[in-house]
Amino acid sequence: MDVGYITIVLSLLASAYATLAYYFGAKNSDASLLYKAEKATYLTAALVTAASAILVYYFMTDNFSIEYVASYSSRALPGFYKFAAFWAGADGSLLLWALLISGYTVAFLKLEKKDVLSAYAMATAMSVQTFFLLLLSTVSNPFQQLGFMPADGVGLNPLLQTPEMVAHPPTLFIGYAGAAVVFSLALAGVYLADEKWVFRARKWIVFTWIWLTQGIFWGAIWAYKVLGWGGYWAWDPVENSSLLPWLTLSALMHSVMIQEARRGMKLWNILLAFTTFEFVLLGTFITRSGVISSVHAFGQSSLTLPFMLYMLLWLILTIWVIMEKKGFIKSEDIIESFASKEATFLFNNLILVASALTIFWGTIFPLISEGLTGYKVTIGPPFYNQVETPLGLALIILVGFCIAVPWRRAYKDEMIRRLRFPAVAMFLGLVAGFIGKFGFAGTLAAGIFGFAFTAHLQQYLWDTRAFSQEYGTSSYFKIVLRRRRRYGGYTTHLGLLILFLGIVGGAYDEEYKNVQLELNQPYQIKEYTFIYRGITAEDSNLKTTWRANIEVWKEGRLIGFMKPGIEKYKTGSGEETRKVDILSEPLKDVYLIFMGANENAVFMEIRINPLVNFVWLGSWIMTFGGIFALIPKSFVSRVIVSREQEVGT
């Protein structure tokens, strides 16, 4: 029996003990049992870390007697990708899940107050850990032995041999594991009728949201750069499954503010925390069960039943807790006026949840249709675009209104003062869209962007002026640090608006052509001229690559050389992949896909993708806004005091 598997089994026993010890220790106020639960948590984390290190060691030393290593690595695979092969398949990715949960549970013990709320939350979190360790020790063992040593392994899927795919699973899974902590706190808080859970969960919600955002970003940029179809989001089931918890967690991030300030939306918040966690389990299940066809799925059907039963179990337990504590979760009536921040938060939540439910239905409908009729119906991008586009436009409008209206109630004169400049910007955006022939949807989007963007800039200025008077300082640095949650939220909204602009630009002004480029003959598309200069070949132990050499000219000057290619791998089944090349300018990308060649010509798909860099920029600004909002109060105090002392001297 492999030492790695023994380590997994031991960690399962420690995790199960910790789960029970936290629960009974909290229930019986047994400090000794809670102390033992903490020790078991640390032991679990140490054992899971050891198991992970053993699996990495097997990859780095080409131990192909382990089935998982033989399936996802080879001798010619570079060391960087041997390390990343750890999470290339279902077994390793579930071990990564367990490793990250271990990190969260240890961090939770270090950062949170040790009380009954924390104990019950830890019982829930450790039960999640126990579930994944149970899978790893039964149906998804990454240390399964072949019984012989192959000369070489199958190798890593060529599509996964990219830096983007190295980054995508860990960042997304950090967010996934964080959702379990958020749900654990919410469930414990409702079970104990303790509203402190929303204050405790706030930082975990934001932290989890940051990593989900990054996970989706890296997945999108991988699709754009590697899959070679010209876009970054195809409404694939696995893509959808990563977006679902992001949508509901975004809703929760806003609605907990209402419970903090006004004791409202209590039932809504526990439902959002639960739904986010269920969507995380669903995403893990879809990717690893193979029940839905996807370019991202691993296709391991033995996980279907355990995941279905586990999701059902949490549904039953959550409903039971809600029914038991229905008196506690009765919310205050918080909506005094539709022209208030509370109302915009509510509408914001409704749109985000409606969007999530629509995507959820489109994702699982093929399964339902197959179960009922025997035929699997495919739901493609037209369905999602038709439904999600109006929801997205409504959300961006609300983002502008949310920042423009005050808490409780806004009166007519105040609303006019707050909305006059955003309204002018909206009008100018509509005019610009009409003149630029953006089409109806594009023109409407330009107007909405102008409205929301101006509302945010205006609020930045107003808040800075008000806070400078409140704090008696004109230092913008001190002001934004003191109000980091508010300015972090504003920054995140601005990132969302920039991302929205990038999505709109790509949706309504993209151009592509399939062309034949003759050797040394110029070919013009819009303002760009392409000249094919021949093919070069590169050979290595891992693959053979053919690249087309293309000069790109713009307005009479050479702006770059592009080398899209085709790669044929020597490992596995000899997969052949296309390597796109992208020439990025600030407002558009030139995107080339090598389709084939003959003696005197190359066949190329050429795409001009406008504003796509705004999608990446917006994602990073959103991430920065979340990070800024998480700056600890102790750090802020030290920085402000230090700067004041410097000024005084």
Side-chain angles (χ1 to χ4, degrees):
M1 188 178 294
D2 187 84
V3 64
Y5 179 73
I6 294 173
T7 308
I8 290 290
V9 173
L10 292 175
S11 65
L12 170 63
L13 296 175
S15 180
Y17 175 81
T19 302
L20 296 174
Y22 277 121
Y23 177 77
F24 288 107
K27 184 177 181 180
N28 300 321
S29 301
D30 188 335
S32 174
L33 195 54
L34 289 174
Y35 176 78
K36 293 176 181 177
E38 289 185 20
K39 295 301 181 183
T41 300
Y42 289 122
L43 177 60
T44 302
L47 289 168
V48 172
T49 303
S52 302
I54 291 169
L55 186 60
V56 171
Y57 174 76
Y58 287 162
F59 272 108
M60 302 306 292
T61 57
D62 297 327
N63 188 348
F64 300 126
S65 66
I66 303 299
E67 181 180 356
Y68 185 72
V69 176
S71 299
Y72 294 99
S73 186
S74 65
R75 296 188 185 279
L77 190 68
F80 179 64
Y81 293 119
K82 287 182 180 179
F83 176 81
F86 176 101
W87 52 78
D91 300 345
S93 60
L94 292 181
L95 181 55
L96 177 63
W97 235 111
L99 179 64
L100 293 172
I101 283 286
S102 295
Y104 271 104
T105 53
V106 170
F108 192 93
L109 288 177
K110 295 293 185 181
L111 296 175
E112 292 294 336
K113 180 181 178 181
K114 295 181 180 179
D115 56 10
V116 177
L117 176 62
S118 292
Y120 276 115
M122 281 296 296
T124 303
M126 290 306 294
S127 73
V128 177
Q129 174 75 296
T130 302
F131 169 70
F132 281 99
L133 290 172
L134 182 62
L135 293 179
L136 288 164
S137 61
T138 53
V139 298
S140 195
N141 175 17
F143 297 101
Q144 183 68 44
Q145 295 183 333
L146 286 172
F148 65 97
M149 174 69 83
D152 203 354
V154 174
L156 186 64
N157 186 328
L159 295 177
L160 303 182
Q161 296 182 37
T162 65
E164 295 81 12
M165 190 46 65
V166 171
H168 169 58
T171 51
L172 188 64
F173 276 27
I174 293 173
Y176 277 6
V181 175
V182 172
F183 172 65
S184 298
L185 272 168
L187 191 67
V190 174
Y191 179 73
L192 294 170
D194 187 347
E195 288 199 67
K196 292 196 297 291
W197 80 264
V198 294
F199 301 96
R200 298 271 192 93
R202 188 170 60 204
K203 60 180 175 292
W204 299 105
I205 292 171
V206 176
F207 185 80
T208 299
W209 181 90
I210 289 169
W211 286 104
L212 285 177
T213 301
Q214 278 293 294
I216 294 171
F217 161 77
W218 285 110
I221 204 167
W222 170 76
Y224 185 65
K225 290 186 173 182
V226 177
L227 291 186
W229 60 280
Y232 49 83
W233 194 266
W235 296 109
D236 177 273
V238 173
E239 292 175 348
N240 293 349
S241 68
S242 68
L243 181 59
L244 288 173
W246 186 90
L247 290 169
T248 52
L249 192 69
S250 297
L252 179 62
M253 191 160 53
H254 289 83
S255 62
V256 292
M257 296 169 64
I258 301 297
Q259 187 169 345
E260 287 179 22
R262 305 289 304 280
R263 302 187 66 195
M265 304 182 78
K266 295 180 184 178
L267 174 60
W268 187 252
N269 285 333
I270 179 62
L271 289 176
L272 284 175
F274 163 74
T275 305
T276 300
F277 180 57
E278 285 283 277
F279 280 156
V280 161
L281 293 176
L282 177 70
T284 308
F285 161 65
I286 286 176
T287 309
R288 281 130 196 101
S289 68
V291 297
I292 297 180
S293 298
S294 165
V295 69
H296 309 268
F298 295 122
Q300 184 164 325
S301 59
S302 61
L303 295 172
T304 300
L305 182 60
F307 267 96
M308 294 294 288
L309 292 176
Y310 192 63
M311 293 171 67
L312 180 62
L313 172 65
W314 280 119
L315 174 62
I316 294 170
L317 285 175
T318 303
I319 292 174
W320 176 78
V321 170
I322 289 173
M323 295 302 295
E324 286 289 311
K325 303 295 178 179
K326 57 185 177 182
F328 165 72
I329 59 178
K330 183 179 180 181
S331 299
E332 304 288 339
D333 186 8
I334 59 162
I335 305 297
E336 298 179 16
S337 168
F338 285 113
S340 66
K341 202 175 291 293
E342 292 91 337
T344 61
F345 275 28
L346 175 61
F347 294 140
N348 160 288
N349 267 237
L350 292 175
I351 290 173
L352 287 169
V353 171
S355 180
L357 292 178
T358 301
I359 296 169
F360 171 69
W361 174 250
T363 302
I364 68 165
F365 183 74
L367 289 180
I368 296 174
S369 67
E370 185 177 29
L372 295 178
T373 68
Y375 297 97
K376 183 176 286 189
V377 176
T378 301
I379 294 181
F383 165 78
Y384 295 106
N385 292 335
Q386 186 175 7
V387 177
E388 296 298 324
T389 297
L391 289 173
L393 293 174
L395 179 65
I396 298 302
I397 292 174
L398 269 177
V399 166
F401 268 110
C402 176
I403 198 149
V405 297
W407 292 97
R408 295 184 181 273
R409 179 184 296 272
Y411 294 96
K412 181 180 178 180
D413 291 345
E414 185 179 11
M415 286 299 295
I416 293 174
R417 182 181 71 88
R418 287 174 174 267
L419 296 178
R420 56 187 176 180
F421 290 118
V424 170
M426 183 174 188
F427 174 75
L428 295 176
L430 293 172
V431 171
F434 178 77
I435 294 174
K437 299 179 180 180
F438 293 172
F440 174 77
T443 300
L444 181 61
I448 291 172
F449 173 82
F451 171 82
F453 192 79
T454 304
H456 275 75
L457 291 182
Q458 174 180 267
Q459 199 63 40
Y460 262 118
L461 297 174
W462 287 357
D463 280 359
T464 302
R465 184 168 45 199
F467 293 145
S468 66
Q469 295 174 357
E470 178 182 345
Y471 299 132
T473 178
S474 59
S475 170
Y476 179 73
F477 180 78
K478 291 181 183 179
I479 290 170
V480 296
L481 276 181
R482 286 181 183 271
R483 294 285 182 163
R484 58 201 174 280
R485 282 186 64 193
R486 176 173 296 198
Y487 284 97
Y490 291 170
T491 304
T492 298
H493 284 175
L494 287 175
L496 178 64
L497 294 175
I498 292 171
L499 184 147
F500 167 76
L501 195 63
I503 293 172
V504 170
Y508 298 107
D509 195 30
E510 181 187 49
E511 179 169 330
Y512 67 93
K513 288 185 178 181
N514 291 313
V515 303
Q516 177 177 320
L517 300 181
E518 302 289 343
L519 187 64
N520 299 323
Q521 298 299 312
Y523 189 98
Q524 181 104 15
I525 297 180
K526 286 193 170 181
E527 68 269 37
Y528 298 99
T529 300
F530 302 89
I531 304 177
Y532 168 51
R533 298 299 191 187
I535 291 179
T536 55
E538 304 168 7
D539 192 59
S540 69
N541 293 333
L542 185 65
K543 62 189 176 183
T544 301
T545 304
W546 296 270
R547 297 189 183 277
N549 299 294
I550 312 289
E551 293 179 0
V552 184
W553 296 71
K554 181 180 180 181
E555 298 173 351
R557 63 186 181 88
L558 180 65
I559 62 170
F561 296 93
M562 301 185 70
K563 295 185 176 183
I566 294 178
E567 296 180 337
K568 186 172 180 62
Y569 282 75
K570 299 177 182 179
T571 56
S573 57
E575 295 96 335
E576 188 173 283
T577 63
R578 292 185 176 89
K579 297 294 290 184
V580 304
D581 200 2
I582 303 168
L583 178 64
S584 288
E585 296 191 287
L587 298 181
K588 62 184 65 176
D589 277 359
V590 178
Y591 189 101
L592 300 188
I593 307 171
F594 187 6
M595 307 299 291
N598 59 30
E599 185 176 350
N600 296 311
V602 65
F603 304 99
M604 198 74 57
E605 182 176 318
I606 300 177
R607 291 175 173 265
I608 310 299
N609 296 334
L611 303 185
V612 69
N613 287 325
F614 283 34
V615 174
W616 321 134
L617 176 63
S619 299
W620 280 108
I621 292 175
M622 291 167 65
T623 300
F624 173 77
I627 294 172
F628 188 76
L630 280 180
I631 295 176
K633 184 178 180 179
S634 57
F635 174 81
V636 172
S637 300
R638 288 198 304 270
V639 170
I640 290 177
V641 169
S642 175
R643 289 178 67 91
E644 287 175 347
Q645 289 175 346
E646 288 178 7
V647 171
T649 57

